[in-house]
Coordinates of all heavy atoms in Angstrom, one line a residue:
I277 N -5.1 120.4 -25.7 CA -5.6 119.2 -24.9 C -5.4 118.0 -25.8 O -5.9 117.9 -26.9 CB -7.1 119.3 -24.5 CG1 -7.3 120.6 -23.6 CG2 -7.5 118.1 -23.8 CD1 -8.7 120.8 -23.2
W278 N -4.6 117.0 -25.2 CA -4.4 115.7 -25.9 C -4.8 114.7 -24.9 O -4.4 114.6 -23.7 CB -2.9 115.6 -26.2 CG -2.6 114.3 -26.9 CD1 -2.4 114.1 -28.2 CD2 -2.3 113.0 -26.3 NE1 -2.1 112.8 -28.5 CE2 -2.0 112.1 -27.3 CE3 -2.4 112.5 -25.0 CZ2 -1.8 110.7 -27.1 CZ3 -2.1 111.2 -24.7 CH2 -1.8 110.3 -25.8
G279 N -5.7 113.7 -25.4 CA -6.2 112.7 -24.5 C -6.2 111.3 -25.1 O -6.4 111.1 -26.3
A280 N -5.8 110.4 -24.2 CA -5.7 109.0 -24.6 C -7.0 108.2 -24.1 O -7.5 108.5 -23.0 CB -4.5 108.3 -24.1
K281 N -7.4 107.3 -24.9 CA -8.5 106.4 -24.6 C -9.9 107.0 -24.6 O -10.8 106.5 -25.4 CB -8.3 105.7 -23.3 CG -9.2 104.6 -22.9 CD -8.8 103.7 -21.8 CE -8.8 104.4 -20.5 NZ -8.5 103.5 -19.3
G282 N -10.1 108.0 -23.8 CA -11.5 108.5 -23.6 C -12.0 109.5 -24.7 O -13.2 109.6 -24.8
F283 N -11.1 110.1 -25.4 CA -11.6 111.1 -26.4 C -11.8 110.7 -27.8 O -12.3 111.5 -28.6 CB -10.5 112.3 -26.4 CG -10.4 113.1 -25.1 CD1 -9.4 113.9 -24.9 CD2 -11.4 113.0 -24.1 CE1 -9.2 114.6 -23.7 CE2 -11.3 113.7 -23.0 CZ -10.2 114.5 -22.7
W284 N -11.5 109.4 -28.1 CA -11.7 109.0 -29.5 C -13.0 108.3 -29.8 O -13.4 108.3 -31.0 CB -10.5 108.1 -30.0 CG -10.2 106.9 -29.2 CD1 -9.1 106.7 -28.4 CD2 -11.0 105.7 -29.1 NE1 -9.2 105.4 -27.8 CE2 -10.3 104.8 -28.3 CE3 -12.2 105.2 -29.7 CZ2 -10.8 103.5 -28.0 CZ3 -12.6 104.0 -29.4 CH2 -11.9 103.1 -28.6
P285 N -13.8 107.8 -28.9 CA -15.0 107.2 -29.3 C -16.0 108.2 -30.0 O -16.0 109.4 -29.6 CB -15.7 106.7 -28.0 CG -14.5 106.4 -27.1 CD -13.5 107.5 -27.4
I286 N -16.7 107.7 -31.0 CA -17.6 108.6 -31.7 C -18.6 109.2 -30.8 O -18.9 110.4 -30.9 CB -18.4 107.7 -32.7 CG1 -17.4 107.2 -33.8 CG2 -19.5 108.5 -33.4 CD1 -17.9 106.1 -34.7
E287 N -19.0 108.5 -29.7 CA -20.0 109.1 -28.8 C -19.5 110.3 -28.0 O -20.2 111.2 -27.7 CB -20.4 108.0 -27.8 CG -21.2 106.8 -28.3 CD -20.4 105.7 -29.0 OE1 -19.1 105.9 -29.0 OE2 -20.9 104.7 -29.4
F288 N -18.2 110.3 -27.8 CA -17.5 111.5 -27.2 C -17.8 112.8 -28.0 O -18.2 113.8 -27.6 CB -16.1 111.3 -27.0 CG -15.3 112.5 -26.4 CD1 -15.4 112.8 -25.1 CD2 -14.7 113.4 -27.3 CE1 -14.7 113.9 -24.6 CE2 -14.0 114.5 -26.8 CZ -14.1 114.8 -25.4
G289 N -17.5 112.7 -29.3 CA -17.7 113.8 -30.2 C -19.1 114.2 -30.4 O -19.4 115.4 -30.4
E290 N -20.0 113.2 -30.4 CA -21.4 113.5 -30.5 C -22.0 114.2 -29.3 O -22.8 115.1 -29.3 CB -22.2 112.3 -30.9 CG -21.9 111.7 -32.3 CD -22.6 110.4 -32.6 OE1 -23.0 109.7 -31.6 OE2 -22.7 110.1 -33.8
A291 N -21.5 113.7 -28.1 CA -22.0 114.2 -26.9 C -21.5 115.7 -26.6 O -22.2 116.5 -26.1 CB -21.7 113.3 -25.7
M292 N -20.3 115.9 -27.0 CA -19.6 117.2 -26.7 C -19.9 118.2 -27.8 O -19.8 119.4 -27.5 CB -18.1 117.0 -26.6 CG -17.7 116.1 -25.5 SD -18.4 116.4 -23.8 CE -17.7 118.0 -23.5
G293 N -20.3 117.8 -28.9 CA -20.6 118.8 -30.0 C -19.4 119.7 -30.3 O -18.2 119.2 -30.4
K294 N -19.6 121.0 -30.4 CA -18.5 121.9 -30.8 C -17.5 122.0 -29.7 O -16.3 122.4 -29.9 CB -19.1 123.3 -31.1 CG -19.9 123.4 -32.4 CD -20.4 124.7 -32.6 CE -21.2 124.8 -33.9 NZ -21.7 126.2 -34.2
D295 N -17.8 121.6 -28.5 CA -16.8 121.7 -27.4 C -15.7 120.6 -27.6 O -14.7 120.7 -26.9 CB -17.5 121.4 -26.0 CG -18.3 122.7 -25.6 OD1 -18.2 123.7 -26.2 OD2 -19.1 122.5 -24.7
A296 N -16.0 119.6 -28.5 CA -14.9 118.7 -28.8 C -13.9 119.2 -29.8 O -12.8 118.7 -29.8 CB -15.5 117.4 -29.4

Side-chain angles (χ1 to χ4, degrees):
I277 296 178
W278 181 99
K281 187 168 66 173
F283 291 164
W284 56 251
I286 293 165
E287 292 84 355
F288 174 83
E290 291 178 338
M292 301 307 297
K294 291 183 179 180
D295 288 347

